[in-house]
Amino acid sequence: MKMAFDVSRRFLMAGGLATASLAGCATTAAETQGAFPATATPDPYLLGPKEGVALLSRNENPYGPSKAALKMVEYAANKGAYYTSPEAIQMLAQLIADKNGVTPEQVVLTTGSGEVLSAIAMIYGKTGPIVAPRLFWDTTALYAVNQGVGSIDRVPLAADMSVDLAAIEAKVTSETGIVQLCNPNNPTGMVSDAATLKSAVKRMAAKTTVLVDEAYMELADDPEGNTCIGLIDEGHDVIVTRTFSKIFGMAGLRMGYSISSAETAEKIRGVVMSWSPCTSYAAAIGAYQDEAFIAYSKQKIVEAREMVNMTIDTLGLERLPSQTNFVYFKSGKEANDIQKAMAAKLISVRGQYMDYNEWTRVSMGKIEDVERFCKALPEVVGA
Ligand SMILES: Cc1ncc(COP(=O)(O)O)c(C=O)c1O
């Protein structure tokens, strides 16, 4: 841990120096080439939400990126002429490995966790169906299926909309390609009971590989107690994925990773398609150790979630117990109509998932944006 911190600090200091000395050169080059006249001002809303829009549909963290990440991005952008150095890749893998008690060989770094999840779906989809809960973040499993690789065997949720681990386990055979779980789950926001999950995962992993997508785990009440990372070094056939898109507030900067056995990691590396930008590596190195930013983000997200929960409860609507930066609730109205009515008020929420037509997912955002959602909800649901 100490070594990783020292190396990272050196990297940051180098960044500071490089930034200072290159700032002037960039302007001069642009002016000389005439490509971007010095007077050109980009549309401030070219990226991020348009003016006046409360973007509460994508589970982002609008408080990010942290200052430490931004400092690193500036440094990295100035080095953008060069492919990312192996040292930077190694440094990030080492930081992640140190924090999780694994080795860097067990960490696969990709362009958001979507990429590593897609690679996993392509590898294991070939060997049999992807067994998963009926509602989960299925984009990457569908990526494989859409290419004719594998199929998704969706297992109905339990009556309380939690993941039905017993029913999933009952489906698993040695013919199963992979079991894919999402904990906390998206779009429900629910965390599986840790002891029940871990024992089910161990039994299933004796028959097939088990993937646990932990994109939102840092937001859970007890990340250490709930993560399945510990099962990997106990020798179970488990892959865990994480992302910098959620609590780290780096959805647009793109960095994610898997942790597995070194052997599985090697297999995944062979299928990953792209190379992440140097800015992604640098930002992640800056963000990963920024405990103050992580704590601040979590506090703001929980504050917003409590406001949303209270509003939904006051209206007497059903909602699920979320440990994430989104809340899934039953409005009693068509989800796509709710989405349209909110959009008319410049508030963006998710539309319908599968046949859950009366359920809406709202993401946490800046407190003032969440306040707008809370004020609009009674009228939109016709209360
Ligand atoms: C559960 C879950 N996993 C993975 C992802 C992929 O995110 P990213 O590719 O930005 O890491 C998302 C995105 O919303 C998600 O909700």
Side-chain angles (χ1 to χ4, degrees), residues 9 15 21 124 152 212 222 317 364:
R9 204 171 49 171
S21 61
Y124 293 93
I152 308 178
V212 190
D222 177 16
L317 303 175
M364 299 311 103

Side-chain angles (χ1 to χ4, degrees), residues 112-144:
S113 62
E115 186 181 26
V116 75
L117 284 161
S118 296
I120 293 165
M122 291 300 284
I123 296 168
Y124 293 93
K126 282 196 181 114
T127 63
I130 299 169
V131 176
R134 185 143 186 279
L135 268 184
F136 74 116
W137 194 69
D138 57 10
T139 305
T140 54
L142 287 171
Y143 167 79

Side-chain angles (χ1 to χ4, degrees), residues 21-103:
S21 61
L22 283 177
C25 300
T27 316
T28 313
E31 280 169 357
T32 311
Q33 290 162 19
F36 299 100
T39 51
T41 318
D43 172 359
Y45 303 107
L46 181 64
L47 298 166
K50 293 259 180 278
E51 188 172 10
V53 171
L55 186 55
L56 305 175
S57 51
R58 299 188 191 162
N59 300 346
E60 295 146 328
N61 171 11
Y63 295 100
S66 77
K67 287 206 172 64
L70 288 177
K71 192 170 176 190
M72 289 295 277
V73 168
E74 194 180 2
Y75 163 64
N78 276 305
K79 303 277 185 174
Y82 306 100
Y83 291 112
T84 309
S85 70
E87 287 81 2
I89 298 170
Q90 176 67 20
M91 185 186 295
L92 181 57
Q94 186 74 56
L95 285 173
I96 293 168
D98 287 348
K99 192 158 188 178
N100 292 287
V102 298
T103 64

Side-chain angles (χ1 to χ4, degrees), residues 58-59 111-115 117 136-137 140 182 184-186 213-216 241-246 250-251 254-256 326 361:
R58 299 188 191 162
N59 300 346
T111 311
S113 62
E115 186 181 26
L117 284 161
F136 74 116
W137 194 69
T140 54
C182 183
N185 200 11
N186 180 8
D213 173 353
E214 295 187 354
Y216 301 95
T241 56
R242 293 274 183 107
T243 182
F244 282 85
S245 298
K246 307 304 175 185
M250 284 178 34
R254 313 303 300 136
M255 181 52 66
F326 51 89
R361 192 194 72 185

